[in-house]
PDB file of all heavy atoms in Angstrom:
ATOM      1  N   PHE T 805      10.325 -13.865   1.973  1.00  0.00           N
ATOM      2  CA  PHE T 805       9.930 -14.849   2.829  1.00  0.00           C
ATOM      3  C   PHE T 805       9.721 -16.196   2.023  1.00  0.00           C
ATOM      4  O   PHE T 805       8.883 -16.092   1.184  1.00  0.00           O
ATOM      5  CB  PHE T 805       8.698 -14.469   3.665  1.00  0.00           C
ATOM      6  CG  PHE T 805       9.003 -13.295   4.573  1.00  0.00           C
ATOM      7  CD1 PHE T 805       8.922 -12.028   4.032  1.00  0.00           C
ATOM      8  CD2 PHE T 805       9.082 -13.450   5.922  1.00  0.00           C
ATOM      9  CE1 PHE T 805       9.095 -10.937   4.949  1.00  0.00           C
ATOM     10  CE2 PHE T 805       9.229 -12.373   6.777  1.00  0.00           C
ATOM     11  CZ  PHE T 805       9.225 -11.060   6.260  1.00  0.00           C
ATOM     12  N   THR T 806      10.477 -17.180   2.274  1.00  0.00           N
ATOM     13  CA  THR T 806      10.324 -18.358   1.464  1.00  0.00           C
ATOM     14  C   THR T 806      10.771 -19.679   2.274  1.00  0.00           C
ATOM     15  O   THR T 806      11.599 -19.577   3.121  1.00  0.00           O
ATOM     16  CB  THR T 806      11.249 -18.227   0.224  1.00  0.00           C
ATOM     17  OG1 THR T 806      11.020 -19.360  -0.603  1.00  0.00           O
ATOM     18  CG2 THR T 806      12.663 -18.074   0.521  1.00  0.00           C
ATOM     19  N   ASP T 807      10.164 -20.732   1.814  1.00  0.00           N
ATOM     20  CA  ASP T 807      10.622 -22.040   2.271  1.00  0.00           C
ATOM     21  C   ASP T 807      11.724 -22.637   1.414  1.00  0.00           C
ATOM     22  O   ASP T 807      12.144 -23.728   1.789  1.00  0.00           O
ATOM     23  CB  ASP T 807       9.363 -23.021   2.386  1.00  0.00           C
ATOM     24  CG  ASP T 807       8.657 -23.213   0.977  1.00  0.00           C
ATOM     25  OD1 ASP T 807       8.781 -22.178   0.254  1.00  0.00           O
ATOM     26  OD2 ASP T 807       8.188 -24.257   0.825  1.00  0.00           O
ATOM     27  N   GLN T 808      12.041 -21.895   0.382  1.00  0.00           N
ATOM     28  CA  GLN T 808      13.104 -22.437  -0.556  1.00  0.00           C
ATOM     29  C   GLN T 808      14.108 -21.364  -0.818  1.00  0.00           C
ATOM     30  O   GLN T 808      14.286 -20.913  -1.950  1.00  0.00           O
ATOM     31  CB  GLN T 808      12.483 -22.909  -1.913  1.00  0.00           C
ATOM     32  CG  GLN T 808      11.280 -23.819  -1.674  1.00  0.00           C
ATOM     33  CD  GLN T 808      10.351 -23.766  -2.934  1.00  0.00           C
ATOM     34  OE1 GLN T 808      10.683 -24.124  -3.918  1.00  0.00           O
ATOM     35  NE2 GLN T 808       9.086 -23.289  -2.646  1.00  0.00           N
ATOM     36  N   PRO T 809      14.957 -20.891   0.118  1.00  0.00           N
ATOM     37  CA  PRO T 809      15.925 -19.809  -0.142  1.00  0.00           C
ATOM     38  C   PRO T 809      16.855 -20.226  -1.269  1.00  0.00           C
ATOM     39  O   PRO T 809      17.463 -19.349  -1.931  1.00  0.00           O
ATOM     40  CB  PRO T 809      16.530 -19.736   1.163  1.00  0.00           C
ATOM     41  CG  PRO T 809      16.281 -20.887   1.963  1.00  0.00           C
ATOM     42  CD  PRO T 809      14.900 -21.374   1.467  1.00  0.00           C
ATOM     43  N   GLU T 810      17.182 -21.446  -1.325  1.00  0.00           N
ATOM     44  CA  GLU T 810      18.076 -21.928  -2.414  1.00  0.00           C
ATOM     45  C   GLU T 810      17.571 -21.789  -3.804  1.00  0.00           C
ATOM     46  O   GLU T 810      18.385 -21.772  -4.819  1.00  0.00           O
ATOM     47  CB  GLU T 810      18.525 -23.467  -2.163  1.00  0.00           C
ATOM     48  CG  GLU T 810      17.350 -24.447  -2.396  1.00  0.00           C
ATOM     49  CD  GLU T 810      16.333 -24.604  -1.365  1.00  0.00           C
ATOM     50  OE1 GLU T 810      16.451 -23.821  -0.337  1.00  0.00           O
ATOM     51  OE2 GLU T 810      15.448 -25.366  -1.488  1.00  0.00           O
ATOM     52  N   ASN T 811      16.280 -21.503  -3.941  1.00  0.00           N
ATOM     53  CA  ASN T 811      15.688 -21.367  -5.259  1.00  0.00           C
ATOM     54  C   ASN T 811      15.418 -19.935  -5.697  1.00  0.00           C
ATOM     55  O   ASN T 811      14.662 -19.667  -6.634  1.00  0.00           O
ATOM     56  CB  ASN T 811      14.336 -22.231  -5.433  1.00  0.00           C
ATOM     57  CG  ASN T 811      14.719 -23.727  -5.401  1.00  0.00           C
ATOM     58  OD1 ASN T 811      15.796 -24.148  -5.885  1.00  0.00           O
ATOM     59  ND2 ASN T 811      13.838 -24.515  -4.959  1.00  0.00           N
ATOM     60  N   ILE T 812      15.827 -19.014  -4.820  1.00  0.00           N
ATOM     61  CA  ILE T 812      15.622 -17.588  -5.123  1.00  0.00           C
ATOM     62  C   ILE T 812      16.416 -17.297  -6.391  1.00  0.00           C
ATOM     63  O   ILE T 812      17.621 -17.538  -6.531  1.00  0.00           O
ATOM     64  CB  ILE T 812      16.060 -16.740  -4.006  1.00  0.00           C
ATOM     65  CG1 ILE T 812      15.137 -16.779  -2.760  1.00  0.00           C
ATOM     66  CG2 ILE T 812      16.120 -15.177  -4.371  1.00  0.00           C
ATOM     67  CD1 ILE T 812      15.459 -16.019  -1.510  1.00  0.00           C
ATOM     68  N   PRO T 813      15.833 -16.755  -7.391  1.00  0.00           N
ATOM     69  CA  PRO T 813      16.412 -16.573  -8.727  1.00  0.00           C
ATOM     70  C   PRO T 813      17.506 -15.437  -8.620  1.00  0.00           C
ATOM     71  O   PRO T 813      17.431 -14.547  -7.812  1.00  0.00           O
ATOM     72  CB  PRO T 813      15.304 -16.161  -9.668  1.00  0.00           C
ATOM     73  CG  PRO T 813      14.339 -15.547  -8.743  1.00  0.00           C
ATOM     74  CD  PRO T 813      14.407 -16.245  -7.505  1.00  0.00           C
ATOM     75  N   ALA T 814      18.555 -15.532  -9.401  1.00  0.00           N
ATOM     76  CA  ALA T 814      19.527 -14.559  -9.483  1.00  0.00           C
ATOM     77  C   ALA T 814      19.002 -13.386 -10.400  1.00  0.00           C
ATOM     78  O   ALA T 814      18.769 -13.578 -11.547  1.00  0.00           O
ATOM     79  CB  ALA T 814      20.825 -15.075 -10.039  1.00  0.00           C
ATOM     80  N   VAL T 815      18.881 -12.209  -9.761  1.00  0.00           N
ATOM     81  CA  VAL T 815      18.420 -11.086 -10.477  1.00  0.00           C
ATOM     82  C   VAL T 815      19.393  -9.923 -10.287  1.00  0.00           C
ATOM     83  O   VAL T 815      19.777  -9.628  -9.194  1.00  0.00           O
ATOM     84  CB  VAL T 815      17.010 -10.691 -10.003  1.00  0.00           C
ATOM     85  CG1 VAL T 815      16.573  -9.332 -10.735  1.00  0.00           C
ATOM     86  CG2 VAL T 815      15.944 -11.683 -10.380  1.00  0.00           C
ATOM     87  N   THR T 816      19.710  -9.148 -11.293  1.00  0.00           N
ATOM     88  CA  THR T 816      20.716  -8.089 -11.231  1.00  0.00           C
ATOM     89  C   THR T 816      19.906  -6.816 -10.572  1.00  0.00           C
ATOM     90  O   THR T 816      18.927  -6.467 -11.085  1.00  0.00           O
ATOM     91  CB  THR T 816      21.243  -7.710 -12.673  1.00  0.00           C
ATOM     92  OG1 THR T 816      21.963  -8.726 -13.080  1.00  0.00           O
ATOM     93  CG2 THR T 816      22.273  -6.441 -12.415  1.00  0.00           C
ATOM     94  N   LEU T 817      20.401  -6.345  -9.466  1.00  0.00           N
ATOM     95  CA  LEU T 817      19.786  -5.281  -8.763  1.00  0.00           C
ATOM     96  C   LEU T 817      20.779  -4.020  -8.919  1.00  0.00           C
ATOM     97  O   LEU T 817      21.958  -4.058  -9.037  1.00  0.00           O
ATOM     98  CB  LEU T 817      19.785  -5.532  -7.173  1.00  0.00           C
ATOM     99  CG  LEU T 817      18.967  -6.855  -6.851  1.00  0.00           C
ATOM    100  CD1 LEU T 817      19.112  -7.044  -5.343  1.00  0.00           C
ATOM    101  CD2 LEU T 817      17.714  -6.970  -7.306  1.00  0.00           C
ATOM    102  N   ALA T 818      19.994  -2.889  -9.051  1.00  0.00           N
ATOM    103  CA  ALA T 818      20.663  -1.598  -9.254  1.00  0.00           C
ATOM    104  C   ALA T 818      21.377  -1.221  -7.993  1.00  0.00           C
ATOM    105  O   ALA T 818      21.158  -1.805  -6.848  1.00  0.00           O
ATOM    106  CB  ALA T 818      19.643  -0.609  -9.610  1.00  0.00           C
ATOM    107  N   ALA T 819      22.244  -0.217  -8.081  1.00  0.00           N
ATOM    108  CA  ALA T 819      23.024   0.140  -6.965  1.00  0.00           C
ATOM    109  C   ALA T 819      22.088   0.728  -5.849  1.00  0.00           C
ATOM    110  O   ALA T 819      20.993   1.359  -6.220  1.00  0.00           O
ATOM    111  CB  ALA T 819      23.984   1.342  -7.401  1.00  0.00           C
ATOM    112  N   GLY T 820      22.487   0.459  -4.645  1.00  0.00           N
ATOM    113  CA  GLY T 820      21.572   0.852  -3.561  1.00  0.00           C
ATOM    114  C   GLY T 820      20.412  -0.147  -3.282  1.00  0.00           C
ATOM    115  O   GLY T 820      19.495   0.168  -2.408  1.00  0.00           O
ATOM    116  N   ARG T 821      20.367  -1.220  -3.955  1.00  0.00           N
ATOM    117  CA  ARG T 821      19.251  -2.176  -3.765  1.00  0.00           C
ATOM    118  C   ARG T 821      19.774  -3.540  -3.399  1.00  0.00           C
ATOM    119  O   ARG T 821      20.753  -3.998  -4.031  1.00  0.00           O
ATOM    120  CB  ARG T 821      18.389  -2.185  -5.021  1.00  0.00           C
ATOM    121  CG  ARG T 821      17.730  -0.834  -5.393  1.00  0.00           C
ATOM    122  CD  ARG T 821      17.405  -0.702  -6.741  1.00  0.00           C
ATOM    123  NE  ARG T 821      15.978  -1.301  -7.042  1.00  0.00           N
ATOM    124  CZ  ARG T 821      14.856  -0.629  -7.006  1.00  0.00           C
ATOM    125  NH1 ARG T 821      14.914   0.762  -6.778  1.00  0.00           N
ATOM    126  NH2 ARG T 821      13.763  -1.187  -7.319  1.00  0.00           N
TER     127      ARG T 821
END
Side-chain angles (χ1 to χ4, degrees):
F805 295 80
T806 182
D807 58 330
Q808 308 158 66
E810 68 281 1
N811 290 330
I812 292 178
V815 174
T816 301
L817 304 180
R821 299 160 83 96

